[in-house]
Amino acid sequence: MAATATFNEKVVSVTFSDRFKSHYNHIWLRDNCHCKQCYHDVTKQRLLDTFKIPTDIQPSSVEVDHVSSFLKVVWNNDEHLSTFSLSWLKANAYNPLPPGNEDEDDDVDYGSYSPWNKKGLRYFTPEVEYDDVISTTDGVKDWVNKTSAYGFCFVQNVPVDPIKTKELIERITFIKPTHYGGFWDFTADMSKNDTAYSNIEIPLHTDGTYWSEAPGYQSFHLLKHNGTGGTTSLSDGFNVAYTLKLLNPKYFELLSTVPVDFHCAGEEDVFIQPVVSRPIIIVDEQNKDKVVQIRWNNSDRSVLKIPKSFYQMNSTAMNVDFVETFYKAISAFRELLHDDEQEMFYQLRPGQLLLFDNWRVLHSRTSFTGERRMCGAYYSKDDFISRYKTLNNKREDLVAEL
Ligand SMILES: C[N+](C)(C)CCCC[C@H](N)C(=O)O
Ligand SMILES: O=C(O)CCC(=O)C(=O)O
């Protein structure tokens, strides 16, 4: 069956060759005109002034060109011609959504998530070789894809040199600067008044819980250690959150809805708290079954206040209950993170860089003796995902559906 199009006062209705039929509001179609006059072909930005479109705009004609597979619409106010490819129309159909796309979830596609616990990683370590990454784009792609899937990946046989390490990190994308610096190179000298710059134990945590947007990724390269301890552990926070949801849905609900503050205030001229408080387990607003970020650092957690939307003005007992349940919930979460079946221990060595997803995988370090020097950097989430997408797709396919 060939595609057809009709229109009424409100919508253009397109029936595709597979009989799928969708309706498009006139103003929506006019606003999304991708002709050279309305849309910058190179920058992929809108040139059209949306607010000059008459709100009651209508087509004077619609027609499907079967040779080019385009819908042609001529508008009644100025005879402007808009053309839309049928594949673009189908990909962007919203009323109804195309078959198989009803949950709208495939939009944020940056790699298949492979949950892990200790069993899953018993015979397998996500890793790549320095030489491959430094000299080939396929090597970078392999590194990015493994990091996306497992939430962490080692690079083996890295020169034990901070300059070469920075170069390696920058193979993926830009370094995200913070008050710790861009590329950091640190020892236990308390230069930043944070426990990371001491030799005491740091339990499983994500970094930057106190920023409005925590760093998406973090890398570590141990340059030197002449002493004992300083063991790293990793735990898949997404796997733990989903496990908590199964074992205790009430705690999951609490941790994914109660906003919790964290702070960074060790230095003279630093005082950071997020603009908007957010929960410890952040779920996708459109799909509450999907965990998108873990914010957890018990050392940096601020004083608990009952958020307004949870506070019971007329019930002291309910407020008592709230605090009691909150402490039980974080305790259950912490227990699962450190569970024997879940937490993986690694003794980092010079020559080995660890990159991990700081929104998903929590890290820890045991206390240590001796001199220990570590370098590394942060990336923002969006820069990494952009690199993932451009490495794994053809640019023309990515921009085709914009
Ligand atoms: C990684 N680097 C050493 C630069 C900073 C570490 C900061 C750790 C901190 N308590 C936090 O959660 O942010
Ligand atoms: O020193 C380490 O091994 C890690 C320190 C740490 O947890 C951090 O910098 O966030």
Side-chain angles (χ1 to χ4, degrees):
M1 186 188 124
T4 56
T6 57
F7 71 97
N8 65 22
E9 206 183 312
K10 300 243 180 217
V11 293
V12 174
S13 303
V14 179
T15 308
F16 296 87
S17 54
D18 61 0
R19 293 176 198 276
F20 168 67
K21 183 174 185 177
S22 213
H23 309 285
Y24 304 87
N25 291 50
H26 298 320
I27 192 163
W28 183 96
L29 275 175
R30 182 65 191 90
D31 183 40
N32 288 308
C33 179
H34 277 24
C35 80
K36 286 203 163 62
Q37 213 180 316
C38 296
Y39 187 77
H40 199 296
D41 195 32
V42 173
T43 70
K44 313 296 173 201
Q45 289 169 291
R46 183 179 287 105
L47 297 172
L48 170 73
D49 183 350
T50 303
F51 307 97
K52 292 220 169 89
I53 305 172
T55 49
D56 59 353
I57 192 167
Q58 292 212 12
S60 47
S61 70
V62 305
E63 178 199 340
V64 174
D65 181 330
H66 294 290
V67 179
S68 62
S69 292
F70 270 73
L71 169 73
K72 292 178 162 175
V73 181
V74 178
W75 300 103
N76 68 347
N77 61 323
D78 58 0
E79 295 307 303
H80 183 84
L81 167 68
S82 296
T83 58
F84 305 92
S85 79
L86 293 176
S87 59
W88 181 92
L89 282 167
K90 194 171 203 177
N92 286 291
Y94 59 90
N95 183 18
L97 293 167
N101 244 13
E102 286 87 349
D103 60 8
E104 262 195 304
D105 195 29
D106 304 329
D107 284 0
V108 248
D109 173 24
Y110 49 92
S112 58
Y113 156 63
S114 307
W116 54 262
N117 59 16
K118 225 165 170 171
K119 233 185 231 158
L121 294 180
R122 191 173 327 156
Y123 303 111
F124 173 75
T125 306
E127 60 185 353
V128 293
E129 277 296 315
Y130 171 80
D131 281 347
D132 293 338
V133 174
I134 210 69
S135 57
T136 71
T137 304
D138 275 346
V140 178
K141 183 172 160 183
D142 193 24
W143 187 20
V144 164
N145 289 358
K146 282 184 175 142
T147 309
S148 286
Y150 299 99
F152 74 102
C153 181
F154 289 98
V155 184
Q156 307 291 10
N157 299 307
V158 181
V160 185
D161 169 353
I163 294 174
K164 291 246 153 65
T165 306
K166 178 166 181 272
E167 237 173 63
L168 169 66
I169 292 170
E170 286 173 336
R171 287 290 287 163
I172 293 185
T173 187
F174 323 98
I175 286 174
K176 179 188 168 92
T178 66
H179 67 282
Y180 299 115
F183 177 79
W184 13 266
D185 188 344
F186 64 101
T187 59
D189 63 359
M190 284 303 273
S191 63
K192 293 289 179 188
N193 286 355
D194 183 279
T195 51
Y197 296 75
S198 76
N199 61 2
I200 68 173
E201 174 174 4
I202 311 177
L204 283 171
H205 67 284
T206 58
D207 268 29
T209 46
Y210 41 76
W211 278 307
S212 296
E213 187 183 306
Y217 293 81
Q218 176 166 191
S219 47
F220 285 136
H221 183 190
L222 183 77
L223 293 172
K224 176 184 172 182
H225 186 197
N226 57 17
T228 58
T231 308
T232 299
S233 82
L234 300 176
S235 193
D236 184 352
F238 285 5
N239 198 37
V240 165
Y242 290 126
T243 307
L244 180 68
K245 190 171 185 192
L246 283 178
L247 297 180
N248 201 321
K250 202 175 123 203
Y251 290 167
F252 179 90
E253 167 75 18
L254 195 78
L255 295 187
S256 61
T257 51
V258 177
V260 177
D261 271 335
F262 296 86
H263 60 260
C264 177
E267 288 180 84
E268 200 57 39
D269 52 357
V270 174
F271 191 89
I272 308 173
Q273 284 187 306
V275 175
V276 176
S277 307
R278 304 180 76 196
I280 289 167
I281 300 173
I282 300 181
V283 296
D284 183 342
E285 278 301 307
Q286 307 299 316
N287 174 7
K288 298 207 188 307
D289 288 330
K290 185 171 167 188
V291 174
V292 293
Q293 187 188 348
I294 306 293
R295 296 168 69 243
W296 178 246
N297 186 335
N298 201 47
S299 313
D300 295 355
R301 186 165 53 78
S302 301
V303 176
L304 173 66
K305 300 203 174 81
I306 305 182
K308 268 199 198 108
S309 51
F310 290 85
Y311 178 70
Q312 301 293 332
M313 204 160 11
N314 302 315
S315 173
T316 308
M318 282 173 85
N319 293 328
V320 169
D321 257 11
F322 175 88
V323 172
E324 196 176 297
T325 315
F326 177 83
Y327 277 95
K328 281 187 185 156
I330 57 174
S331 204
F333 182 60
R334 196 206 75 102
E335 212 142 285
L336 289 174
L337 283 171
H338 287 270
D339 192 288
D340 250 5
E341 300 290 302
Q342 180 62 60
E343 188 178 12
M344 289 292 296
F345 290 89
Y346 296 97
Q347 193 70 36
L348 299 183
R349 288 180 277 103
Q352 194 185 47
L353 181 125
L354 167 65
L355 171 66
F356 59 93
D357 181 342
N358 184 58
W359 283 21
R360 169 181 164 190
V361 171
L362 293 89
H363 63 289
S364 83
R365 170 197 82 199
T366 61
S367 62
F368 62 88
T369 63
E371 257 176 90
R372 188 169 176 274
R373 180 178 171 201
M374 181 83 108
C375 66
Y378 295 130
Y379 301 133
S380 93
K381 193 79 184 169
D382 293 330
D383 290 330
F384 182 93
I385 293 175
S386 164
R387 187 78 160 127
Y388 174 90
K389 287 187 176 171
T390 55
L391 282 168
N392 284 284
N393 297 278
K394 289 203 200 94
R395 179 172 163 77
E396 67 237 46
D397 291 341
L398 284 174
V399 299
E401 290 184 9
L402 289 179

